[in-house]
Amino acid sequence: MHRMPGTPRPVFTCALLSPHLWPAWIGVSVMKLLAMLPFSMLMAMGRGLGAVIERYPSPRRKVATTNIALCFPELDAKAQAKRVDAHLRDIGLMLIEFALGWMGSDRAMAKIPVRFEGLEHLEAAHAAGRGVLLVGGHFSHLELCARLVSQRIRIAGMYRRMDNPVFEWTVLRARLGYARAMFEKDDIRGTVKYLRTGGTLWYAPDQDMRSKDNVFVPFFGVPAATITATHHLARMSHSVMIPFFHRRLPGSQGYVLKLGAPLENLPSQDAEADTARVNRSIEQMVREAPEQYLWVHKRFKTRPEGFPPIY
C-alpha cells in the first residue's frame, strides 16, 4: 500500500513539554475552550475583540493603511480610513475563526451555515481525470473555510511551517484531521505527484514569499513580487486552475464558498503572464469583500530594483 504523499502526522515528543513552551500550551487550551462555544456567540465575541483591535495602536494599522491607499487610490482619505477600520475589526473575527477551524468538532462545523456555488466546475474537471488547483487568496477566514469546504471536497493544502513547535504540532495535526494531505511549501515533487492522481489542492500565491521564483506582476496596479509556483504546478501536473473565493456573511449567517469557471488557456508557456492572470483573479475576489482580505500583510515589501520601499 502506497502512503499518501505529503507531510506525515506529527509525532508528540517530550520536548514539547519544555517549560518555555507552556505559554503556547495555554494558548492552545484557550482556543479549544473557545471552539466549544456556539457559533453565534463566537461571532459576537469576534466582533467585540475586533472593536478593541480597531482602537488599539499597532504597527499593523500603518501596514493596512498603506496597502489600502495603494490599492484603492480612487477612494478619498475618509473612505480609505473607513476601510482600514473595517479590516481591523475583521481581525477579531479572524482570530476566533482560527480557533474554530483548528479546534472545532465535526458537529460544530455541521451547524455553521454555508452555501456552496460552482461545484459543477470541480466535478467536471474530476470527471475528465484532471487534478485541480483551487487558486485563492489570504482572506481572514481562510482556515475556517478550508475546514468547511472539506465537508464537501477532499482537498489538500500547502503550508509554511510555524516557528513555535507547539503550534506547529497542534495545527498540522488539526489540518490533517480534515485535509487529504498537507504539503510543505517547498515539496513540489510530492504536490505534483498528488495532483497527477486527480487530487484537489488549495493554493494561495498572494503573499510576498521572497522567493527566487518571484516575478513582479500587477496586483491592484502595483508591482507585486509573486511566486510563479501556480504556473509550474499546473504545467507539471496538467491540472486545471479553478478560482476559489469565500466570504463571510453579516452577523451569524455563515459563509459563501464559490468555485469559479476554470481559468482558460492556463497554464501557457509564459510563467509571468500566467502569474499576472492569477493575480487578476485574486484581485476580483478581493473587490467582492475588501475588508475581509489580509491587508496587514506587507504584500509589497519586496520592490523592483530602483523602486523606493513602501513600508
Side-chain angles (χ1 to χ4, degrees), residues 38-101:
F39 178 67
S40 58
M41 184 180 296
L42 287 172
M43 291 295 98
M45 290 177 64
R47 289 189 292 271
L49 180 58
V52 174
I53 292 172
E54 179 194 354
R55 290 169 174 78
Y56 188 78
S58 165
R60 290 295 170 179
R61 171 180 280 276
K62 184 177 180 181
V63 173
T65 299
T66 300
N67 284 337
I68 287 172
L70 284 169
C71 295
F72 299 97
E74 71 276 10
L75 298 179
D76 61 27
K78 185 176 181 180
Q80 289 177 358
K82 285 182 66 176
R83 187 156 288 181
V84 171
D85 287 344
H87 173 59
L88 293 175
R89 291 195 299 272
D90 194 76
I91 296 296
L93 287 163
M94 180 183 75
L95 298 175
I96 294 296
E97 287 161 335
F98 277 151
L100 188 55

Side-chain angles (χ1 to χ4, degrees), residues 45 48 114 121 134 158 254 280 294:
M45 290 177 64
V114 58
H121 300 303
L134 294 180
M158 295 192 82
R280 288 197 297 272
L294 197 63

Side-chain angles (χ1 to χ4, degrees), residues 274-286:
D274 287 358
T275 305
R277 179 93 176 274
V278 168
N279 268 9
R280 288 197 297 272
S281 178
I282 296 172
E283 182 179 328
Q284 290 173 0
M285 301 177 194
V286 175

Side-chain angles (χ1 to χ4, degrees), residues 205 213-218 224-232 241 266 270-282 299:
D213 297 319
N214 279 348
V215 292
F216 287 99
V217 291
T226 309
I227 52 177
T228 58
T230 317
H231 161 85
H232 295 301
M241 290 191 203
L266 291 184
D270 189 333
E272 184 171 334
D274 287 358
T275 305
R277 179 93 176 274
V278 168
N279 268 9
R280 288 197 297 272
S281 178
I282 296 172
R299 182 66 184 90

Side-chain angles (χ1 to χ4, degrees), residues 5-25:
T7 306
R9 193 173 180 84
V11 177
F12 187 89
T13 65
C14 291
L16 290 170
L17 297 177
S18 176
H20 77 280
L21 295 175
W22 289 355
W25 283 116

Side-chain angles (χ1 to χ4, degrees), residues 296-308:
V296 292
H297 169 67
K298 294 182 178 180
R299 182 66 184 90
F300 308 107
K301 186 171 185 177
T302 303
R303 301 287 281 154
E305 187 175 354
F307 279 59

Side-chain angles (χ1 to χ4, degrees), residues 53-281:
I53 292 172
E54 179 194 354
R55 290 169 174 78
Y56 188 78
S58 165
R60 290 295 170 179
R61 171 180 280 276
K62 184 177 180 181
V63 173
T65 299
T66 300
N67 284 337
I68 287 172
L70 284 169
C71 295
F72 299 97
E74 71 276 10
L75 298 179
D76 61 27
K78 185 176 181 180
Q80 289 177 358
K82 285 182 66 176
R83 187 156 288 181
V84 171
D85 287 344
H87 173 59
L88 293 175
R89 291 195 299 272
D90 194 76
I91 296 296
L93 287 163
M94 180 183 75
L95 298 175
I96 294 296
E97 287 161 335
F98 277 151
L100 188 55
W102 291 332
M103 308 296 181
S105 66
D106 289 341
R107 185 177 179 182
M109 292 299 109
K111 292 181 179 180
I112 297 175
V114 58
R115 184 172 80 244
F116 290 87
E117 298 178 2
L119 285 175
E120 66 273 11
H121 300 303
L122 180 69
E123 292 164 355
H126 284 170
R130 305 281 297 278
V132 174
L133 270 171
L134 294 180
V135 180
H138 282 79
F139 290 84
S140 58
H141 30 67
L142 185 151
E143 289 287 346
L144 177 56
C145 287
R147 179 79 181 274
L148 291 172
V149 79
S150 70
Q151 297 177 117
R152 295 287 296 274
I153 305 169
R154 291 291 287 162
I155 64 168
M158 295 192 82
Y159 76 104
R160 181 166 49 185
R161 184 177 290 272
M162 294 186 172
D163 294 333
N164 186 289
V166 170
F167 283 107
E168 171 64 18
W169 182 86
T170 302
V171 173
L172 180 57
R173 187 168 174 267
R175 287 169 169 164
L176 287 173
Y178 60 82
R180 193 176 180 196
M182 292 299 300
F183 298 92
E184 289 197 56
K185 62 182 179 65
D186 296 324
D187 186 7
I188 302 300
R189 178 179 295 181
T191 306
V192 170
K193 182 178 179 181
Y194 167 77
L195 287 167
R196 283 180 173 174
T197 65
T200 300
L201 178 80
W202 188 355
Y203 188 55
D206 61 326
Q207 291 200 332
D208 189 338
M209 304 295 289
R210 293 191 167 189
S211 167
K212 63 180 180 181
D213 297 319
N214 279 348
V215 292
F216 287 99
V217 291
F219 185 60
F220 284 88
V222 183
T226 309
I227 52 177
T228 58
T230 317
H231 161 85
H232 295 301
L233 287 172
R235 181 179 56 82
M236 290 187 288
S237 65
H238 309 290
S239 297
V240 176
M241 290 191 203
I242 292 180
F244 179 51
F245 172 56
H246 40 92
R247 63 184 172 89
R248 185 193 311 106
L249 297 172
S252 301
Q253 297 179 55
Y255 303 83
V256 175
L257 279 58
K258 181 168 68 175
L259 283 72
L263 297 176
E264 295 181 356
N265 303 317
L266 291 184
S268 70
Q269 298 300 312
D270 189 333
E272 184 171 334
D274 287 358
T275 305
R277 179 93 176 274
V278 168
N279 268 9
R280 288 197 297 272
S281 178

